[in-house]
Amino acid sequence: MSTSGLNFPASKSDLIDRAKGTDAPPQIVIDALNQFEDRQYKDVEDIKSEFSKIQQK
């Protein structure tokens, strides 16, 4: 998922909307974003950290 053009802080719904706005995002990306905590993400590293938590589940 590209985070270019995304303004921070970004909410979970902002991330999902951004992913859906790109050319045919893989469903696995949307599925992972849906598992994110409903909070504000301050930067790209914060998003990467949340993806790591999801992968460990």
Side-chain angles (χ1 to χ4, degrees), residues 18-45:
R18 176 71 182 131
K20 288 180 177 177
T22 60
D23 293 332
Q27 187 60 42
I28 193 167
V29 173
I30 301 299
D31 291 345
L33 290 171
N34 281 319
Q35 294 179 53
F36 272 33
E37 289 184 32
D38 194 13
R39 65 177 184 87
Q40 295 289 311
Y41 295 89
K42 62 184 180 197
D43 56 26
V44 174
E45 291 303 315

Side-chain angles (χ1 to χ4, degrees), residues 2-3 10 13 22 25 29 32-33 35 41 45 47 52-53 56:
S2 173
T3 55
S13 64
T22 60
V29 173
L33 290 171
Q35 294 179 53
Y41 295 89
E45 291 303 315
I47 295 169
S52 293
K53 289 180 195 175
Q56 292 175 3

